[in-house]
Amino acid sequence: AAVVLPYVAAFGLGGLWTKEVLVREQPLVGFRYEALVEAYGKSATEELVAWSWSTSIELNDALGTALRPCELQAWEEDDERDGYPDRLQFVLRMPLDAAAGERLLSMSVVLGLDVAFTRHFELHMNSSVRLEASSPLAGRRWQQTADLALRSKEPQLSLVMRPREPCPTPTWALQTPSVPSGAAASAASILESYASCNDTAVAVAHPPNWQPGISSTFEAAITLRIPHELTTRKPGIVETLKLAWVHYIAVR
């Protein structure tokens, strides 16, 4: 009884075999120099005008008259100097012909990122995150802050296990610059390619700051923060047995 009953009690409490454990880790994130910009506005002659630009030459060729070349600056900020960026900063500028009545009302940006977890589990992702803002008032500047977050359908695997692929097939932002019809890829088609992935990274946006006005250049300033991510993973066999033994001794 002294040997068996504590074992039965520990097992009956449901905590003998630990199936998932909580881990907290900051990923290593870098910009892949892949971006797609989609904007909508109006001019003196048209009520709705679409402008787009990307870092892909093939996609830009497919845009035709909708192409509006932009200027994009990107850099990393690492507060602790530990090699893990705490923020990715982006400044995008789109030229507008104010004299011709061009006004920008909406903009969305898709950014391609490399995201890697290596401390508590191994996961490498080619992710695409999207941010957007719009207003009935013509804008001259959009300031946006967002937090990067991990979305997984299943718990992560222990480091002693073989790492899994986040998607059934390799997927990245500008993998298919044009759709089968020959039209340029869009933000919707890019994000749709991640539908079957088990692990994806998303940008959780804060309320945007849209500054109305008329200018010859629309500027978007985006801050993507990279916090420590709280997620779950499956323990290894040795870790499972160790926790089971601790539970058994505690009950006994």
Side-chain angles (χ1 to χ4, degrees), residues 2 6 18 25 28 37 59 63 69 84 98 106 109 111-112 135 143 169 194 198 203 206 211 232 252:
T18 302
E25 179 177 344
L28 179 62
V37 181
L59 196 156
L63 289 172
Y84 285 76
S106 172
V109 180
L111 301 170
S135 173
Q143 188 172 2
T169 58
Y194 291 88
N198 182 75
H206 297 199
Q211 299 179 15
T232 61
R252 185 174 181 182

Side-chain angles (χ1 to χ4, degrees), residues 62-74:
L63 289 172
T65 57
L67 176 63
R68 180 61 60 93
C70 299
E71 176 187 344
L72 177 62
Q73 294 176 306

Side-chain angles (χ1 to χ4, degrees), residues 198-225:
N198 182 75
D199 304 290
T200 56
V202 298
V204 182
H206 297 199
N209 182 9
W210 184 273
Q211 299 179 15
I214 300 173
S215 175
S216 60
T217 302
F218 181 86
E219 181 179 279
I222 299 173
T223 299
L224 184 61
R225 304 194 305 184

Side-chain angles (χ1 to χ4, degrees), residues 175-189:
Q175 181 180 19
T176 308
S178 58
V179 297
S181 64
S186 63
S189 65

